[in-house]
Amino acid sequence: MSAYEHILTEKNERVGLVRLNRPKALNALNNALITELMHALSEYDADPAIGAIVITGNERSFAAGADIKEMADASAVQMLTADHISPFDRIRSITKPVIAAVSGWCLGGGNEVAMSCDMIIASETARFGQPEINLGVIPGAGGTQRLTKAVGKALAMEMVLNNRTLTAEEAQQYGLVNRVVPVERYLEEALALAAEIAQRAPLAVRLGKEAVNHAFESFLSDGLADERRSFYFLFSSADQKEGMAAFMEKRKPEWKGE
């Protein structure tokens, strides 16, 4: 694994872990950190020994937003040509499941990173928000879109327009996170969920993720058609034959990702 300055990486059997590591800045997302994060995710995605990925920060902060110092004096043209936003889109292109393990502050760009993941496990201390309105701007890396899809128009409006933050319990209530656990267990819980998924049929997991994302991001009719194509396609895989044979033989399947 490559050496990084702003993140830490490690492997836990079939789970790849990425820790955002700018603790003095509450893991604020500068360009260097985002570049390293995307590189690490791409490495894990290409590694056949890894079946799922977890992104986390520390107990105090997942990520408290973008690094404002890098953009405060930029013009609109400079922001457009620098294109700091497109790297965020690459999280969506990762084919393996990505789980955010969130504790403490998860704001602005940090919340956009978490929402770009496939699932979120939150500690009881987690706080979610899009405070860009306080800076005279709005979310620019998918915050208005994914947040509205997750929590609904009314609440998203309040969060984007009036800096409402959600407690972990509220985030779970409104469907933004999967579950809330004590702070001492949030990373353990995320790693355990990732480990379970990583043991399942790799090709089916990949296409299942694609189908759910299609439903989330497109019209229902398009999503249903895509889901059906993927469902039928899986019947040409060795893993489908093995999985159904193992079910009938009442044994544990041995997945090959083929």
Side-chain angles (χ1 to χ4, degrees):
M1 191 64 66
S2 302
Y4 299 107
E5 181 180 358
H6 300 295
I7 64 173
L8 302 172
T9 60
E10 62 183 84
K11 294 181 181 180
N12 291 267
E13 296 184 351
R14 284 186 50 77
V15 177
L17 175 62
V18 182
R19 297 178 186 265
L20 310 182
N21 189 39
R22 296 187 70 209
K24 293 182 180 179
L26 295 177
N27 292 330
L29 304 173
N30 62 8
N31 293 330
L33 186 153
I34 288 295
T35 298
E36 290 182 358
L37 172 61
M38 300 312 162
H39 187 269
L41 292 178
S42 296
E43 283 196 334
Y44 282 143
D45 204 29
D47 186 347
I50 295 297
I53 304 166
V54 172
I55 303 174
T56 193
N58 54 50
E59 290 185 4
R60 187 182 178 196
S61 178
F62 177 76
D67 193 330
I68 304 305
K69 295 178 182 178
E70 288 189 338
M71 64 181 72
D73 297 324
S75 69
V77 172
Q78 287 171 330
M79 289 297 291
L80 176 64
T81 54
D83 193 17
H84 299 313
I85 300 300
S86 62
F88 284 77
D89 296 335
R90 292 171 59 189
I91 298 178
R92 169 66 180 81
S93 70
I94 299 300
T95 64
K96 294 171 182 176
V98 183
I99 300 171
V102 175
S103 186
W105 297 112
C106 186
L107 304 175
N111 196 40
E112 288 172 314
V113 167
M115 291 192 297
S116 295
C117 297
D118 302 303
M119 290 163 275
I120 302 175
I121 302 298
S123 85
E124 294 171 331
T125 67
R127 296 293 183 271
F128 300 86
Q130 298 289 159
E132 289 87 350
I133 197 72
N134 294 338
L135 303 172
V137 294
I138 65 171
T144 63
Q145 304 304 298
R146 291 189 175 94
L147 188 63
T148 303
K149 289 274 193 177
V151 306
K153 174 187 173 182
L155 184 55
M157 283 288 192
E158 190 174 357
M159 294 177 70
V160 171
L161 303 185
N162 203 38
N163 189 29
R164 175 173 173 178
T165 59
L166 300 183
T167 65
E169 290 75 15
E170 288 174 325
Q172 183 179 32
Q173 173 188 346
Y174 291 112
L176 187 62
V177 308
N178 293 70
R179 66 195 68 152
V180 179
V181 298
V183 64
E184 62 271 14
R185 284 183 43 221
Y186 79 99
L187 181 55
E188 173 188 340
E189 189 82 7
L191 290 170
L193 175 60
E196 289 181 5
I197 295 171
Q199 294 303 316
R200 301 191 184 278
L203 191 56
V205 167
R206 174 174 177 168
L207 293 181
K209 169 176 171 167
E210 287 182 4
V212 172
N213 277 331
H214 197 156
F216 186 73
E217 297 170 357
S218 67
F219 293 108
L220 178 60
S221 59
D222 292 338
L224 289 173
D226 186 66
E227 177 187 78
R228 194 160 301 164
R229 282 192 296 270
S230 293
F231 177 74
Y232 292 149
F233 173 76
L234 285 169
F235 279 76
S236 68
S237 70
D239 278 348
Q240 176 269 325
K241 306 304 180 193
E242 167 65 9
M244 293 189 177
F247 175 83
M248 292 185 292
E249 296 166 10
K250 297 182 179 181
R251 60 177 174 80
K252 185 176 179 178
E254 297 181 5
W255 307 118
K256 298 181 179 178
E258 302 174 354

